[in-house]
Amino acid sequence: MQNILVTGGAGFIGSNFVHYLLDAEPDVKVINLDALTYAASPENLENLPDPGRHVFVKGNILDRDLVNGLMQEHSIGTVVHFAAESHVDRSILGPELFLQTNIMGTFTLLEAARAFWSGKGLEHPEVRFHHVSTDEVYGSLGPDDPAFSETTPYSPNSPYAASKAGSDHIVRSYAHTFNLPTTITNCSNNYGPRQFPEKLISLIILNALAGKDLPIYGDGRQVRDWLFVEDHCEAIWTVVKRGVPGETYNVGGNNQPTNLSIVESICDLLDELVPDQHTPRRNLIKFVTDRPGHDRRYAMNIGKISRTLGWRPRHTLQNGLRETIQWYLSNMDWANAIRERNEYQKWVSKNYSQREKQA
Ligand code: NAD
Ligand code: TYD
């Protein structure tokens, strides 16, 4: 058995990764460390394939004793690190938690891994610290700029992006200084099942189903590069298994729609799949005050991971969106549980009214 410590495995991408890994790898055991913040859902870990190979630990990555203890108790060979504060809007309203979790949390994990693996032997083929990061560390592109590559200089614009950039640099320094076998993936915007409904696509699907406003920040012409979450999970596992220690890999979906066009596509798909009194749902679109410092365009050059490791996204945006919508339609209990627990709509309204006051 290969014992893998997954952090943040009750959140969106982490939980999809746990499902993916238990399904794909019969000889892997997952130790899943998650603090169960607002963004986590215990429901994300229901119906796991072979749940006997999954151990859930509720705890904080900042808790040194806990992390050191887990490394020893489970003889962890591989760390895949997702846990983070991940929402840009929240980082604008309250940056401090982002610095603590994303920077100091990553540091705590690196120290625990270094201490434990130094005794075990850093050369062991299983030993790997994989850090999951974002394209937002590269900043914003102009309309004609080439896509971000692994050599694009870092230029993070939001407190979220800056905290992820900080964590990337610390990971890199542990590879360079202490020979810790690390890899980093910098990935574009994900969408798919089990995404907390504060990010664009999950929020729009659930609001559109409920006949609520579909908020578009600013002019809606910002561009993101969207990747279906399962494709991201496959990319991460490919890099953990075959990526070169010390290297970073850009991951993306090879598409760049504007926010407005993606929201319109969701409306049209929902009108087709669930025609009801809210059709046509494009009428629900509402332009609202822009996000401060809003990055205009992201695009990823995925040449390195495609050429060297043979990974490419399997889903187009259209079939990924259809699959995502179908998942939400079949899992409305999931959405209702989250809504009740977190009252996210209340949070969203507060967020908007604060911004209106600032503007
Ligand atoms: P998420 O917000 O859905 O989940 C984060 C998880 O981390 C939650 O389960 C939360 O409880 C846990 N967590 C937060 N603080 C913790 C702490 N101190 N200790 C233990 N657990 C803690 O995030 P996500 O969208 O799944 O993103 C996962 C990772 O992928 C993040 O590192 C993010 O920066 C990165 N990423 C996300 C995207 C995206 O589009 N969502 C794109 C690229 C990279
Ligand atoms: P988001 O999902 O928050 O991801 P990120 O900011 O990390 O890219 O937002 C995606 C894009 O959608 C971004 O340009 C902001 C925009 N957006 C809206 O227009 N309305 C919304 O309600 C949200 C949450 C985002």
Side-chain angles (χ1 to χ4, degrees):
M1 259 319 150
Q2 182 179 0
N3 288 352
I4 302 191
L5 177 65
V6 171
T7 69
F12 165 48
I13 307 175
S15 65
N16 279 285
F17 183 74
V18 173
H19 281 264
Y20 169 85
L21 197 56
L22 291 174
D23 191 41
E25 297 289 343
D27 297 328
V28 156
K29 183 171 172 187
V30 173
I31 318 305
N32 183 351
L33 173 62
D34 196 299
L36 294 183
T37 69
Y38 80 93
S41 301
E43 295 85 357
N44 288 349
L45 299 167
E46 283 171 5
N47 304 318
L48 285 175
D50 202 358
R53 290 188 284 116
H54 174 250
V55 178
F56 182 76
V57 181
K58 180 175 185 298
N60 200 308
I61 55 168
L62 285 155
D63 183 340
R64 279 182 192 219
D65 292 341
L66 173 66
V67 177
N68 285 332
L70 288 176
M71 296 295 294
Q72 300 222 354
E73 182 188 343
H74 297 281
S75 192
I76 297 295
T78 307
V79 175
V80 184
H81 174 35
F82 294 91
E85 288 296 330
S86 68
H87 190 40
V88 172
D89 291 331
R90 287 182 189 252
S91 83
I92 294 167
L93 293 172
E96 188 173 349
L97 186 58
F98 283 71
L99 272 62
Q100 282 167 357
T101 300
N102 299 359
I103 299 181
M104 290 309 289
T106 303
F107 164 71
T108 306
L109 289 167
L110 284 164
E111 276 293 279
R114 180 162 82 97
F116 182 61
W117 292 336
S118 298
K120 190 177 164 162
L122 288 172
E123 304 75 27
H124 192 283
E126 250 180 39
V127 168
R128 177 65 64 88
F129 187 102
H130 183 76
H131 178 59
V132 180
S133 192
T134 166
D135 58 355
E136 303 194 26
V137 299
Y138 297 120
S140 183
L141 292 168
D144 301 320
D145 289 338
F148 300 129
S149 75
E150 290 78 1
T151 54
T152 303
Y154 275 28
S155 182
N157 287 323
S158 70
Y160 163 67
S163 67
K164 292 298 290 187
S167 64
D168 291 7
H169 290 321
I170 296 163
V171 172
R172 183 180 189 280
S173 78
Y174 271 62
H176 188 80
T177 307
F178 303 118
N179 291 323
L180 200 75
T182 67
T183 37
I184 301 177
T185 39
N186 291 93
C187 186
S188 61
N189 289 60
N190 281 217
Y191 66 97
R194 307 183 187 91
Q195 183 165 35
F196 185 78
E198 65 181 355
K199 307 273 167 64
L200 182 70
I201 289 185
S202 48
L203 177 84
I204 294 297
I205 294 173
L206 293 180
N207 275 16
L209 280 170
K212 293 184 176 159
D213 286 350
L214 309 180
I216 305 253
Y217 298 168
D219 63 5
R221 295 190 188 283
Q222 303 81 8
V223 169
R224 297 292 183 265
D225 179 336
W226 294 97
L227 181 68
F228 189 63
V229 65
E230 240 173 65
D231 288 335
H232 186 192
C233 294
E234 190 176 36
I236 290 169
W237 189 234
T238 301
V239 169
V240 172
K241 279 195 303 190
R242 294 192 282 113
V244 177
E247 292 289 317
T248 74
Y249 298 85
N250 281 1
V251 181
N254 269 343
N255 58 66
Q256 287 108 42
T258 63
N259 291 342
L260 182 58
S261 71
I262 207 159
V263 171
E264 288 173 343
S265 300
I266 294 170
C267 289
D268 297 349
L269 275 164
L270 282 172
D271 288 349
E272 177 202 319
L273 294 168
V274 213
D276 63 15
Q277 76 273 22
H278 305 307
T279 308
R281 290 179 170 84
R282 285 184 185 215
N283 289 345
L284 300 170
I285 290 175
K286 186 174 175 207
F287 289 89
V288 300
T289 311
D290 206 355
R291 170 188 283 171
H294 197 169
D295 281 344
R296 198 69 183 164
R297 174 174 167 246
Y298 304 144
M300 284 303 241
N301 177 336
I302 58 168
K304 179 175 172 180
I305 189 170
S306 304
R307 247 188 346 267
T308 61
L309 303 179
W311 176 88
R312 272 177 199 81
R314 292 181 194 272
H315 293 77
T316 62
L317 186 56
Q318 271 307 309
N319 61 32
L321 275 181
R322 189 174 280 273
E323 205 172 306
T324 301
I325 289 173
Q326 272 157 345
W327 186 88
Y328 284 90
L329 289 173
S330 313
N331 290 276
M332 285 311 285
D333 287 352
W334 176 92
N336 292 333
I338 287 194
R339 207 190 313 261
E340 273 168 32
R341 201 166 44 238
N342 293 287
E343 298 186 85
Y344 73 93
Q345 281 301 345
K346 213 185 268 174
W347 185 86
V348 170
S349 336
K350 183 164 150 246
N351 176 7
Y352 287 137
S353 60
Q354 285 193 1
R355 268 209 233 119
E356 300 290 348
K357 272 185 225 142
Q358 281 163 8

